[in-house]
Amino acid sequence: MRATEFLSRTLRQDPNEAETVSHRLMLRAGMMLQAAAGVYSYLPLALRSIKKIERIVREEMNAAGGQEVLMPTLQTLETWEQSGRAAAFGDNLFRLFDRRERPLVLAPTHEEVVTAIAGAHIESYRDLPLNIYQIQTKFRDEPRPRAGLLRGREFVMKDAYSFDTDQEGLDVTYQRMRVAYRNIFRRCGLPTIEVEADSGAIGGKDSHEFIMPAQSGEDVILYCEESGYAANVERATSIINPALEGEPLPLEVVDTPGITTIADLAVFLGISESQTLKAVFYQADAETVLVTVRGDIEVNEVKLKNHLHCLDLRLANAEEVAAAGLTPGSTSPIGLSGIRRIADTSILQGNNFAAGANQPDKHYQNVNYPRDFEVDETVDIATAREGDGSPDGQGTLKAVRGIEVGHVFKLGTFFTTTLGVDFLDESGTLKPPVMGCYGIGVTRILAAAIEQNHDDKGIIFPAPIAPFQAHLLALNATDPDVRAAADALYDELSSAGCEVLYDDRAESAGVKFNDADLLGLPVRIVVSPRNLKQSVVEIKRRRADEAAQVPADGVVAAVRDLLALDEL
RNA sequence: CGGGGAGUAGCGCAGUCCGGUAGCGCGCUACGUUCGGGACGUAGAGGCCCCGGGUUCAAAUCCCGGCUCCCCGACCA
């Protein structure tokens, strides 16, 4: 492709709306154009990259036994009401009406439709296992789209769904898909960390996310180098530091004027926060619950929500707290009843705690569980932290931010049961197939790849997903000799199957070098009067500092060699 | 949904307080000179100042209403 004919223009200044690296670089490089919040046109540079990612995904999905289909984006709201997920998705579901005022949605995902496809096909165990996937645009009305392609409202996703006869069959398929995912990210040239993930309210038991480490990521993962444990913070468990433990002392009330926070209480009493108990009030749908954790531990709301099986969970507001008869700033489960009391297992670590006395300006000291209070449940609802012990007892956890680029999930029989899909097993019994689902954010991979591969001059594309393999620069492009030599080289490379972006513009050398660095194609080839005099062409990897001079007839081979360095 | 910021030429911005000719840099067009890390000169083109009302002799500027976009948080199988 000749730059003079190419639908792309670089910008010399950063667009004002872009702050995140990938967003900024993609706009500056002329890869895409924003149409609305979280909605973009993909220009040729971006689309070429996306197609390459899709190709790798497709090959690995096919190799893993997947069959490609294309399901409708436009779906009836009724479909979503049958599965009960219209409410669960809430405002994230794009809704519209047809000319007869029938409600429709733009699909954010496809479990309902794929289950219908499976239902139409599956009669007996002989039809299983089945693995169906598609690569398609998804719509989610995100509360806050951000950072270009990292979180859009319209994005390209590969979603796959598997159907097996039983849990053991799903285990096999699930492992196979995990391997396929590892292959995909490796072939894209993108290191990812595979972590245990939250499986949510409807979830089965297993769920893993593929996280690409990046500062701009929205996810935090905790991992342990010693043991290999890795989990999303939403899901991670850990061994917390022990608190002081001594002979249980008698409960006593102390005056704590004006003390309403754990930090103040610890300072006031001259103890560490781990020697206190903290009470937090949540509103779980219509119910107010009292949550007790050790003072130095934060409540993990994802764990709590999963435990409560509620649709909506948030901190209770002042009215709800008052209605429950609680004393903010000085609450504890001691002597409280008539409210659901949940405690984190951290209260079992340590004793002689300081805790609220359920009246203003007073706290208890030497609180011991279960001697001094009761709770309804003691469960793990703690947020694991960097520095905590790995849950397997080996080593300590470290934290890193990252971008979720893939998610595999054991769904179980929720959809097949709800939507009435079953099969006849070998003994003649009707059973629901066991499902798994597997997603990859294709457009998100592109953004994440740039987050992970750039420098202060621009993008550094991994070769397998670069829009072009080589960037051919003709310096002094108006010089007839340069023009002739560069044209010839462009033809030669093209017919050798190399994807070349040929900068044949009449721009100065500096402009071309800077644009080449910005676009970040893996190999840069320079034809110039200076090189022509010595009968050489200059070749440089984007990742490397130094360029090499090669004879004109050795360019194709040299480009191949450099590209091979990026193939994995 | 809470908090903050912004809409003026393709991009980045000034002008708005204090109403009176719509400006700067980059980019774009033409010609000439340059030519290995964002060259220079000359001459040009390019505007629904986000939208709708209002005030005024006169509104980018003041008043009212709305829309859009960005950032932080909440949220996000």
Side-chain angles (χ1 to χ4, degrees):
Chain A
M1 175 58 65
R2 288 172 182 267
T4 48
E5 299 166 359
F6 193 46
L7 175 60
S8 168
R9 173 160 298 166
T10 56
L11 300 175
R12 294 201 179 184
Q13 279 162 303
D14 288 334
N16 153 46
E17 76 258 23
E19 298 216 344
T20 308
V21 170
S22 61
H23 189 198
R24 210 179 69 225
L25 290 175
M26 290 186 75
L27 291 176
R28 270 198 65 198
M31 296 182 74
M32 62 182 189
L33 203 58
Q34 182 170 32
V39 181
Y40 294 87
S41 293
Y42 308 122
L43 301 182
L45 278 172
L47 188 62
R48 292 180 71 104
S49 228
I50 290 167
K51 292 290 180 197
K52 289 195 176 181
I53 296 166
E54 287 182 358
R55 182 176 167 196
I56 291 170
V57 168
R58 202 167 260 127
E59 286 174 1
E60 292 297 332
M61 284 298 105
N62 292 343
Q67 299 188 59
E68 186 170 5
V69 299
L70 187 58
M71 293 182 261
T73 292
L74 205 52
Q75 302 179 354
T76 62
L77 179 60
E78 193 184 358
T79 301
W80 284 73
E81 282 168 346
Q82 280 167 0
S83 68
R85 290 208 301 170
F89 257 86
D91 289 339
N92 271 24
L93 197 58
F94 272 110
R95 294 159 191 255
L96 67 161
F97 294 90
D98 70 10
R99 63 202 303 154
R100 294 181 205 172
E101 298 295 315
R102 286 179 298 214
L104 299 169
V105 306
L106 297 179
T109 175
H110 281 75
E111 281 80 0
E112 284 81 359
V113 173
V114 80
T115 303
I117 293 174
H121 174 76
I122 297 170
E123 305 259 17
S124 81
Y125 71 95
R126 292 176 190 274
D127 299 319
L128 296 172
L130 193 59
N131 191 342
I132 300 172
Y133 77 97
Q134 65 173 347
I135 297 175
Q136 191 212 35
T137 300
K138 294 286 188 282
F139 295 86
R140 295 185 186 179
D141 196 359
E142 294 285 346
R144 186 153 94 81
R146 60 173 289 273
L149 298 190
L150 281 181
R151 179 166 295 280
R153 294 193 297 170
E154 175 179 330
F155 55 95
V156 178
M157 180 172 168
K158 187 285 301 177
D159 45 326
Y161 307 88
S162 66
F163 298 83
D164 280 279
T165 53
D166 53 22
Q167 196 62 45
E168 290 68 38
L170 172 59
D171 289 345
V172 172
T173 302
Y174 187 80
Q175 288 309 322
R176 207 171 171 191
M177 293 299 272
R178 284 175 73 180
V179 170
Y181 272 39
R182 287 174 206 148
N183 291 343
I184 287 166
F185 298 121
R186 179 177 42 78
R187 287 183 59 191
C188 287
L190 301 169
T192 56
I193 303 176
E194 194 173 340
V195 306
E196 291 179 16
D198 170 49
S199 45
I202 15 167
K205 54 181 183 182
D206 277 321
S207 171
H208 290 84
E209 286 170 347
F210 290 78
I211 303 280
M212 202 169 287
Q215 263 308 308
S216 55
E218 296 175 290
D219 288 274
V220 173
I221 67 171
L222 292 163
Y223 66 100
C224 176
E225 284 172 353
E226 290 88 344
S227 70
Y229 176 81
N232 193 304
V233 68
E234 293 177 344
R235 150 85 181 220
T237 57
S238 66
I239 298 172
I240 60 173
N241 57 316
L244 283 180
E245 207 148 344
E247 277 302 303
L249 300 171
L251 189 67
E252 57 180 278
V253 177
V254 289
D255 286 321
T256 52
I259 303 290
T260 59
T261 67
I262 288 296
D264 290 346
L265 180 65
V267 169
F268 182 81
L269 297 174
I271 57 178
S272 100
E273 293 186 11
S274 65
Q275 291 171 271
T276 68
L277 294 180
K278 175 162 68 181
V280 192
F281 331 114
Y282 280 95
Q283 194 66 22
D285 297 332
E287 183 183 26
T288 306
V289 298
L290 174 69
V291 173
T292 307
V293 297
R294 208 174 72 184
D296 60 324
I297 303 292
E298 295 294 324
V299 176
N300 182 325
E301 295 186 2
V302 173
K303 288 183 185 176
L304 180 60
K305 188 173 176 183
N306 289 342
H307 176 72
L308 294 170
H309 294 291
C310 58
L311 271 181
D312 185 50
L313 179 76
R314 58 179 171 78
L315 289 169
N317 61 35
E319 293 81 55
E320 289 156 347
V321 170
L326 301 171
T327 313
S330 195
T331 313
S332 73
I334 300 163
L336 272 189
S337 58
I339 182 169
R340 185 166 174 188
R341 297 156 302 182
I342 299 172
D344 178 57
T345 48
S346 58
I347 69 164
L348 306 174
Q349 305 263 345
N351 70 350
N352 293 332
F353 292 112
N358 293 317
Q359 46 182 308
D361 302 325
K362 291 195 190 302
H363 282 78
Y364 285 119
Q365 270 189 302
N366 303 326
V367 173
N368 285 273
Y369 176 81
R371 184 190 72 183
D372 300 324
F373 66 96
E374 289 177 47
V375 293
D376 300 298
E377 300 135 281
T378 306
V379 293
D380 171 25
I381 47 170
T383 302
R385 291 171 300 190
E386 186 165 39
D388 284 355
S390 179
D392 44 37
Q394 306 169 41
T396 55
L397 296 179
K398 290 186 175 173
V400 66
R401 293 192 77 84
I403 300 162
E404 178 190 344
V405 287
H407 197 163
V408 297
F409 201 95
K410 287 185 182 172
L411 275 178
T413 56
F414 176 84
F415 290 98
T416 45
T417 304
T418 307
L419 301 174
V421 173
D422 43 32
F423 69 96
L424 216 50
D425 76 3
E426 290 171 65
S427 66
T429 313
L430 277 178
K431 286 183 179 171
V434 184
M435 286 178 69
C437 70
Y438 318 87
I440 286 185
V442 173
T443 39
R444 185 182 275 182
I445 285 180
L446 174 55
I450 294 170
E451 292 293 330
Q452 209 174 52
N453 298 278
H454 67 272
D455 60 19
D456 54 356
K457 292 177 174 173
I459 302 167
I460 306 175
F461 269 112
I465 62 169
F468 295 90
Q469 296 170 313
H471 205 159
L472 171 62
L473 312 189
L475 304 192
N476 297 14
T478 48
D479 177 310
D481 293 339
V482 169
R483 163 74 50 166
D487 280 359
L489 191 51
Y490 174 57
D491 289 341
E492 188 192 349
L493 284 162
S494 300
S495 38
C498 183
E499 299 165 306
V500 189
L501 180 60
Y502 173 22
D503 191 346
D504 57 344
R505 298 173 302 167
E507 291 287 351
S508 70
V511 170
K512 294 194 175 195
F513 285 135
N514 280 305
D515 276 353
D517 287 341
L518 176 60
L519 263 55
L521 303 178
V523 176
R524 188 186 77 188
I525 305 164
V526 176
V527 174
S528 71
R530 198 166 88 186
N531 289 340
L532 279 184
K533 264 182 217 153
Q534 302 167 42
S535 305
V536 296
V537 168
E538 186 181 296
I539 297 194
K540 176 182 168 298
R541 273 183 96 201
R542 175 65 176 86
R543 281 184 197 283
D545 296 325
E546 297 299 316
Q549 321 253 304
V550 302
D553 61 2
V555 173
V556 171
V559 169
R560 285 228 176 88
D561 289 347
L562 291 186
L563 286 171
L565 294 174
D566 273 18
E567 298 286 350
L568 296 165

